[in-house]
Amino acid sequence: MTVQALEIKRSSAAMWGTKTGLREKPVVSKYIDTTTCIGCKACEAACQEWNDLKTVATHQEGSYQTLPHLDADFWNLIRFNEREVDGGLMWLMRKDQCMHCAEPGCLEACPAPGAIVQYANGIVDVDPSKCIGCGYCSTGCPFDVPKFHKTTGKMAKCTLCVDRVEVGLEPACIKACPTGCLQFGSKEQMVAMGNARVSQLKGAGFQDAMLYDPQGVGGTSVVTVLGHGHPEWYDLPRDPHVPLLVRAWKSILRPLGVLAAFAAVIGVFGHYATYGPKEPPEGDGVGEGRTK
Amino acid sequence: MSSASAQPNRVDRAIVVARDRDNVVVAGEIVRHRRATRIIHWTVALTFLIGLLSGMPIWTPLFGWMAYLVGGMEVARVIHPYAGVAFVIASAFQFFHWLGDMHFASDEKDWWRPSRMARYMRWEDEASEEGGKYNGGQKLFFWAVCLGAVGFLVTGIPMWFPLRFPALLREIAIILHDVTFICFLIGVILHIYLGTAAEPGTFRAMTRGTVTRSWARLHHPGWFRKVTGESRDKRT
Ligand code: HEM
Ligand code: SF4
């Protein structure tokens, strides 16, 4: 890809001036077509290999799915869902990973300066050297993505292979996909490709087909073609938002609290200037000093 | 004790008495807080301070500099819950230690009203409002601190072990932890102000353990009369 140097657009727990550099970068995106995914899990293996992640013991829950959910050592998971639609059995597969939100709830919730950054190209990344392992990001994420790594004590998740993208390569999962259902490019291109595929599907009788690029989080750098619509059939929230309480915490309660604390300090000085100290009346203490 | 009697001129008699007795007059001073009380209270204050220094940088980067005082953000995250638990344990000791003195008398029941507190803060209390060892405001603060300690504990646990609790519960816990903290911080600022600059002669009650007679008569006339046995109007 074309993204080379990494400019930061947003950084967690920054007071101001989080943006570095002047260069605008094209926003990148993954493209996932669930209708052509064959569930081969090549992307899972590629992700484990490229990121040197520890092998995680698989967890059998009566389906082909490797694990019930993402893990600190497993950032790319094909979800297998079975569903009866119009009397026929549908086998729905979707690649699950960090969605790289344009307005990331993880970053908003994170209290450690610079532990979560959003690069100008849209990639949302955890910097383990600054992460304090508090887990606030998983509270802020509408997709339940960041996971606590018990060995490192830090949070871990998909980096969108920022180290590959940075030097002009596509992410490992994309590289491994044998059917072409995974693509990588600029967000614009990927959305255009997704819209074209959706109209093709609609023409072929998939009336509910849709492109999942949820606007509640400003759109995501993973756009997903859902053949049957209904995001919840694919374990996706229909209309994800950064949780309201996380918003209220960071943008209402916190400034109010800071203000109240400063007001209390100023008030105390004001009180002293207005009423002075409360002392015994003149002469009251005469002759009362301590004696041995 | 033995060293005091061996060296009668080195150790102040009031200090010696204040080791294990309070509410007594010693040579022109009155012992207000015996040593046990002071140790408990300073433990509460110190654990609170550590909780504060390790919690506030996590609250907002505006107070990020506090993290340096405890060894950095990662250290803050690790020690904060332990400091919090220590604070709650110390507060529990303080609760049982002070409970007996903290029941509201019938004429103190209006202290929750801002107007009552404001009247006190304008230094306009009537001489007839004698009170006991503590006034209504102190009692109110005592109960608020106890409630706050429980609040910190209950909301802090889901924040401590986020993986074990559902997201919504964590969100609510963070909000309530913050609300508790903000109220607490304002209360503590006022508490420290009243204990130092606003009411001179108070701070030594928590260090030496003793106060002067005039201090006691001014701030806690009811307690002063009970301890000294003096009548209401007597002036020395
Ligand atoms: C049993 C008592 C307590 C427990 C278990 C507890 C636990 C926690 C935890 C786990 C966090 C998240 C950050 C971290 O892991 O360090 C936190 C945040 C915080 N705590 Fe506590 N805490 C307790 C008491 C206190 C006390 C006494 C104070 C006040 C001095 C306090 C003030 C704060 C503040 C300001 C935050 C940051 C909140 C935010 O990010 O908005 N906590 N607490
Ligand atoms: S999906 Fe979750 S972890 Fe990924 S950017 Fe969005 S909020 Fe952050």
Side-chain angles (χ1 to χ4, degrees):
Chain A
M1 273 308 302
T2 53
V3 183
Q4 312 253 307
L6 289 168
E7 299 279 8
I8 287 172
K9 183 173 165 201
R10 249 194 282 222
S11 165
S12 58
M15 292 218 273
W16 53 68
T18 63
K19 200 173 164 194
T20 66
L22 299 167
R23 281 175 297 175
E24 291 297 329
K25 291 286 173 180
V27 169
V28 298
S29 179
K30 288 186 199 179
Y31 165 94
I32 299 170
D33 183 357
T34 58
T35 63
T36 50
C37 172
I38 55 170
C40 72
K41 303 184 181 181
C43 53
E44 288 185 0
C47 178
Q48 293 300 102
E49 292 225 342
W50 177 260
N51 293 299
D52 281 334
L53 299 176
K54 211 178 67 193
T55 314
V56 179
T58 56
H59 193 283
Q60 179 54 261
E61 287 205 326
S63 87
Y64 272 67
Q65 198 167 314
T66 310
L67 292 172
H69 40 67
L70 295 170
D71 184 272
D73 278 318
F74 206 85
W75 301 343
N76 177 124
L77 176 71
I78 301 294
R79 291 182 169 272
F80 292 77
N81 285 319
E82 288 164 29
R83 177 169 282 273
E84 266 183 65
V85 181
D86 300 333
L89 186 70
M90 300 272 90
W91 203 18
L92 306 174
M93 293 148 206
R94 178 183 65 91
K95 180 177 173 316
D96 190 13
Q97 79 267 277
C98 172
M99 305 295 277
H100 299 276
C101 310
E103 282 152 27
C106 56
L107 189 148
E108 189 166 340
C110 175
I116 299 184
V117 291
Q118 182 180 45
Y119 297 111
N121 65 13
I123 295 179
V124 179
D125 200 9
V126 177
D127 179 346
S129 72
K130 293 177 182 151
C131 172
I132 61 171
C134 67
Y136 280 12
C137 55
S138 72
T139 308
C141 175
F143 301 96
D144 191 22
V145 167
K147 298 288 176 206
F148 182 75
H149 197 292
K150 293 205 170 64
T151 318
T152 63
K154 315 273 182 181
M155 304 303 290
K157 68 165 192 71
C158 158
T159 68
L160 219 156
C161 282
V162 65
D163 47 349
R164 291 173 58 91
V165 170
E166 179 190 15
V167 295
L169 299 172
E170 58 195 348
C173 54
I174 312 288
K175 177 95 180 165
C177 182
T179 70
C181 84
L182 299 183
Q183 301 288 332
F184 181 70
S186 74
K187 174 84 191 250
E188 268 166 43
Q189 286 172 327
M190 297 301 109
V191 169
M193 194 190 299
N195 285 335
R197 177 62 179 155
V198 167
S199 22
Q200 195 183 22
L201 284 166
K202 284 191 166 153
F206 291 87
Q207 289 309 325
D208 297 329
M210 65 176 281
L211 184 68
Y212 189 79
D213 179 21
Q215 295 307 306
V217 290
T220 53
S221 275
V222 173
V223 296
T224 312
V225 175
L226 304 177
H228 298 277
H230 301 287
E232 53 291 346
W233 291 7
Y234 301 83
D235 293 333
L236 280 168
R238 175 165 285 273
D239 185 19
H241 286 275
V242 178
L244 209 64
L245 288 176
V246 170
R247 282 259 146 99
W249 157 35
K250 292 283 179 173
S251 28
I252 301 174
L253 189 58
R254 188 169 60 166
L256 282 183
V258 170
L259 237 100
F262 281 113
V265 172
I266 293 168
V268 153
F269 279 95
H271 178 272
Y272 195 83
T274 312
Y275 297 101
K278 183 177 177 181
E279 276 172 312
E282 198 88 31
D284 189 47
V286 174
E288 285 188 6
R290 0 189 286 262
T291 46
K292 291 210 171 164
Chain B
M1 287 289 183
S2 57
S3 67
S5 43
Q7 299 172 311
N9 295 325
R10 292 275 174 81
V11 183
D12 194 307
R13 199 148 62 82
I15 294 278
V16 174
V17 173
R19 284 180 192 160
D20 41 32
R21 285 202 296 150
D22 46 25
N23 305 328
V24 289
V25 183
V26 192
E29 283 184 282
I30 304 175
V31 181
R32 186 158 170 86
H33 298 302
R34 64 175 193 269
R35 188 168 52 184
T37 313
R38 282 173 274 149
I39 290 175
I40 292 174
H41 191 64
W42 283 115
T43 309
V44 171
L46 190 72
T47 49
F48 179 81
L49 182 73
I50 300 171
L52 195 82
L53 292 177
S54 55
M56 281 182 77
I58 291 168
W59 185 42
T60 155
L62 191 60
F63 299 109
W65 52 272
M66 287 185 185
Y68 294 109
L69 302 178
V70 296
M73 285 292 281
E74 282 175 291
V75 180
R77 194 279 182 248
V78 172
I79 66 171
H80 178 80
Y82 293 99
V85 168
F87 166 78
V88 171
I89 293 171
S91 297
F93 275 96
Q94 186 173 253
F95 173 77
F96 291 110
H97 190 78
W98 267 342
L99 185 59
D101 283 327
M102 295 297 180
H103 299 292
F104 287 90
S106 53
D107 62 341
E108 287 170 342
K109 297 242 153 91
D110 61 341
W111 262 91
W112 60 271
R113 286 176 206 276
S115 60
R116 177 68 187 88
M117 295 185 225
R119 188 154 66 77
Y120 178 83
M121 291 307 292
R122 288 194 304 269
W123 311 143
E124 283 171 7
D125 270 27
E126 306 287 340
S128 60
E129 291 169 303
E130 286 212 315
K133 184 164 181 179
Y134 302 99
N135 67 35
Q138 291 172 297
K139 292 177 186 175
L140 200 68
F141 187 59
F142 169 81
W143 288 104
V145 167
C146 296
L147 189 71
V150 173
F152 276 134
L153 185 65
V154 171
T155 57
I157 286 174
M159 295 165 77
W160 197 354
F161 307 104
L163 308 180
R164 312 256 174 89
F165 295 89
L168 186 64
L169 194 91
R170 262 145 45 200
E171 291 164 32
I172 296 171
I174 294 176
I175 295 270
L176 293 181
H177 203 80
D178 269 25
V179 170
T180 311
F181 158 71
I182 292 163
C183 297
F184 221 113
L185 185 64
I186 294 169
V188 165
I189 290 171
L190 295 178
H191 176 70
I192 295 173
Y193 170 58
L194 284 168
T196 55
E199 303 191 336
T202 306
F203 193 66
R204 53 189 297 210
M206 265 304 155
T207 51
R208 270 177 74 83
T210 65
V211 293
T212 62
R213 296 168 66 92
S214 57
W215 182 94
R217 187 189 290 119
L218 173 70
H219 294 291
H220 303 283
W223 176 69
F224 174 75
R225 282 203 302 121
K226 199 168 157 228
V227 171
T228 60
E230 282 181 25
S231 73
R232 183 170 293 207
D233 299 313
K234 183 156 178 266
R235 284 275 183 274
T236 43

